[in-house]
Amino acid sequence: MTRRLLPVLIAAALLGGCGVPVDDEPRPVRPPAGGFPTPAGTATAEPDGRVDEPLCFVRGDGLAAVTRRVDGLPGVDTHLQHLLAGPDSAERDRGLATALPGTVAVAGATLAGTVVTVDVRQAGEETGRNDEVLAFGQIVCTLTQRPDVDSVAFRRDGQPLEVPRADGNVSSLPLTAADYRPLLDR
């Protein structure tokens, strides 16, 4: 019986010696200077539970980032649908517009890892601007402002699609906001 009891006593002694000291009463926990870091892939909620939904619209011949307050950050496809709906009346009053109608016809978006793939169809006869650089820039700059997205790729009929960047070159590789930085807030 002593042989079986000895390992239990040793384990109890070891565990008792490596614990957290016990206080006589509760004490406050102070956050580190600068607050706690936000884990990657999360949106920071305000005390009212609402979060910022980033969108990128057109102002003049450039791109302008705006945020809307929403109850929760939507999935990438819904987020893209909000962009496609265009600026609301208050945003239009501030001179914001969209280059998407008539330029890029979006069929949907999927997120794999940190890359969003946007499926596009041939643009129809909708009225609107005909500026592909701004249109693709709106999509890339909107989606890459999300905490769960690093880059955006485009495809048509299942094949990678070459799209224009701000420097006039085209790319079929995933794009980031840096590819459109010269157009932001001009």
Side-chain angles (χ1 to χ4, degrees), residues 78-145:
T78 302
H79 194 162
L80 189 54
Q81 294 306 315
H82 293 169
L83 175 67
L84 294 171
D88 63 23
S89 61
E91 292 160 343
R92 284 191 304 273
D93 289 346
R94 293 194 325 255
L96 298 173
T98 182
L100 289 163
T103 305
V104 178
V106 175
T110 55
L111 178 63
T114 59
V115 178
V116 172
T117 300
V118 177
D119 289 300
V120 298
R121 301 181 309 267
Q122 187 68 33
E125 296 298 319
E126 302 100 45
T127 60
R129 300 173 67 125
N130 186 15
D131 192 334
E132 286 186 335
V133 173
L134 290 174
F136 286 109
Q138 279 186 256
I139 295 170
V140 171
C141 292
T142 292
L143 295 178
T144 57
Q145 288 184 77

Side-chain angles (χ1 to χ4, degrees), residues 129-184:
R129 300 173 67 125
N130 186 15
D131 192 334
E132 286 186 335
V133 173
L134 290 174
F136 286 109
Q138 279 186 256
I139 295 170
V140 171
C141 292
T142 292
L143 295 178
T144 57
Q145 288 184 77
R146 294 175 57 94
D148 55 348
V149 175
D150 289 334
S151 59
V152 179
F154 294 89
R155 68 181 173 202
R156 179 179 290 146
D157 299 326
Q159 299 299 313
L161 180 65
E162 288 188 333
V163 299
R165 300 181 323 182
D167 63 7
N169 291 317
V170 294
S171 177
S172 61
L173 298 174
L175 302 169
T176 68
D179 291 300
Y180 297 94
R181 187 166 288 127
L183 298 174
L184 286 169

Side-chain angles (χ1 to χ4, degrees), residues 21-46:
V22 178
D23 290 341
D24 291 335
E25 56 188 64
R27 61 184 160 115
V29 176
R30 291 181 182 82
F36 292 107
T38 302
T42 60
T44 304
E46 294 298 321

Side-chain angles (χ1 to χ4, degrees), residues 41-65:
T42 60
T44 304
E46 294 298 321
D48 65 358
R50 296 175 61 84
V51 298
D52 289 338
E53 178 185 38
L55 298 164
C56 193
F57 292 117
V58 174
R59 178 179 288 129
D61 61 353
L63 299 171

